[in-house]
Amino acid sequence: MKKELSSSESLAIITDMIAKAKQEAAGDGSFYFLLWGWVISICSFGHYALEKAGFEHPYYVWVLVLPSVFISFFWGIKKKSKAKIKTHLDQVLNQLWIGVFMGIVVVLGFMPVLGFNHNPVILLLAAVGMFATGSLIRVSMVKLGAVVLAIAAVVAFLVPVSDQYLVAGIAMILGYLVPGYYLKNTYRERV
């Protein structure tokens, strides 16, 4: 004979299921911020240092981005295959960052047309992605990272191209890594 659940027992089961679904869907959300924050800040500082040292091809340091693209891609596939639940929020965030990525690729393709002032535009695209992400997941620290990136874009427009790499490196630490570590460290509190 089946036992009838009381309303409080039913509510407890539903609450537990929602919490598990929320935890499954949200993850800690920090992986991409930490990966790209580290990679782009290292490449930006490397480019800046090599150029100031008189190295003929300071852009060689950007080859570090290629393995990061593959790591990012395969991590996303792995996460997707493991996920038991796919929420609308996951889909919106995924589409948002694909759009930001496509915008960055277009900007990089037109670097000569932009007079190699691509860093400020890329920082603005990243700021839009961060602000929308922070709004969707309701984390003010992520939105604050977007503000830092937008301010850095303004500063980068005002300095010579070679110094834009220094600005971008600092912006990635404050605008990506700080929110990324915040998300990682507060994960249990948020779900």
Side-chain angles (χ1 to χ4, degrees), residues 94-139:
N94 187 36
Q95 295 304 305
L96 168 70
W97 284 101
I98 287 173
V100 169
F101 177 75
M102 289 188 318
I104 290 172
V105 169
V106 169
V107 169
L108 291 174
F110 287 91
M111 286 189 305
V113 174
L114 295 170
F116 295 96
N117 286 294
H118 52 279
N119 276 322
V121 179
I122 291 172
L123 287 171
L124 278 177
L125 288 170
V128 170
M130 289 290 284
F131 194 82
T133 299
S135 298
L136 289 168
I137 65 173
R138 298 181 183 162
V139 176

Side-chain angles (χ1 to χ4, degrees), residues 60-92:
Y60 281 176
V61 73
W62 291 97
V63 76
L64 291 174
V65 170
L66 294 176
S68 303
V69 169
F70 289 111
I71 291 169
S72 186
F73 178 74
F74 287 113
W75 192 86
I77 288 175
K78 182 180 171 187
K79 181 183 174 196
K80 187 176 179 180
S81 67
K82 280 184 157 182
K84 295 175 185 161
I85 301 164
K86 187 166 186 166
T87 66
H88 182 67
L89 178 62
D90 289 330
Q91 293 172 344
V92 170

Side-chain angles (χ1 to χ4, degrees), residues 114-121 123-124 149-168:
L114 295 170
F116 295 96
N117 286 294
H118 52 279
N119 276 322
V121 179
L123 287 171
L124 278 177
L149 292 170
I151 291 170
V154 172
V155 172
F157 273 122
L158 300 174
V159 299
V161 171
S162 62
D163 293 342
Q164 291 177 2
Y165 292 100
L166 179 62
V167 174

